[in-house]
């Protein structure tokens, strides 16, 4: 693996790196602090759906998954491993959270989740600036064509 120094990064690459690790840490910590109290967390989330269109059993099942999704995808994003797929997964995850918050009519949560959606959008949009990551592919140039190796 090629060593990259901060001085060698463009401003776009440095910005992407900082955004990627920050968002990765954020998701990881969200999930990590919930795992020790998983049952209470899941039951609290499911309880917030009582009296809504979403059956409590579906809310409970999803609520049990939330911390695991946050820990796994957050850690992978922090490492820069499968960055595109992980960011897409986080985008879909956030869409489901927005759906749930909308069903609960929790517009404050929807607004916060939309900020996450924008950050994820920006990561995906700027993947070409991903410079310090485990998934950086070596590029091979043959007859002036660049291929991912």
């Amino acid at each position: 693996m090629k060593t990259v120094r901060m001085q060698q990064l463009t401003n776009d690459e440095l910005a992407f790196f900082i955004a990627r690790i920050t968002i990765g840490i954020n998701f990881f910590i969200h999930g990590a602090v919930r795992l020790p109290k998983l049952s209470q967390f899941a039951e609290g989330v499911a309880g917030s759906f009582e009296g809504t269109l979403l059956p409590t059993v579906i809310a409970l099942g999803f609520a049990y998954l939330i911390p695991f999704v946050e820990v796994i995808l957050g850690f992978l994003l922090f490492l820069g491993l499968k960055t595109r797929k992980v960011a897409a997964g986080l985008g879909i995850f956030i869409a489901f959270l927005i759906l749930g918050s909308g069903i609960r009519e929790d517009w404050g949560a929807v607004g916060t989740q939309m900020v996450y959606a924008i950050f994820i959008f920006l990561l995906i949009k700027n993947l070409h600036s991903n410079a310090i990551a485990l998934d950086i592919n070596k590029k091979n140039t043959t007859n002036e064509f660049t291929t991912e190796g």
Side-chain angles (χ1 to χ4, degrees), residues 17-80:
F17 171 69
I18 291 169
R20 194 196 79 229
I21 64 168
T22 303
I23 296 166
I25 289 168
N26 185 299
F27 275 100
F28 177 81
I29 293 299
H30 264 92
V33 300
R34 292 172 172 162
L35 284 175
K37 52 184 177 183
L38 183 59
S39 292
Q40 298 110 311
F41 169 75
E43 289 169 17
V45 170
S48 70
F49 283 92
E50 287 180 18
T52 69
L53 297 172
L54 189 67
T56 305
V57 68
I58 292 174
L60 183 63
F62 188 75
Y64 270 105
L65 292 176
I66 289 172
F68 294 101
V69 170
E70 291 171 332
V71 164
I72 293 167
L73 294 183
F75 187 64
L76 291 174
L77 190 63
F78 173 78
L79 294 176

Side-chain angles (χ1 to χ4, degrees), residues 27 90-91 94-95 98 110-124:
F27 275 100
L90 283 171
I94 286 293
I98 290 170
V110 169
T112 299
Q113 291 158 346
M114 285 302 299
V115 172
Y116 283 102
I118 292 167
F119 271 99
I120 293 164
F121 164 82
L122 290 171
L123 282 180
I124 294 170

Side-chain angles (χ1 to χ4, degrees), residues 90-106:
L90 283 171
I92 292 166
F93 174 68
I94 286 293
F96 276 106
L97 293 179
I98 290 170
L99 175 65
S101 295
I103 288 171
R104 288 184 15 226
E105 299 182 59
D106 185 350

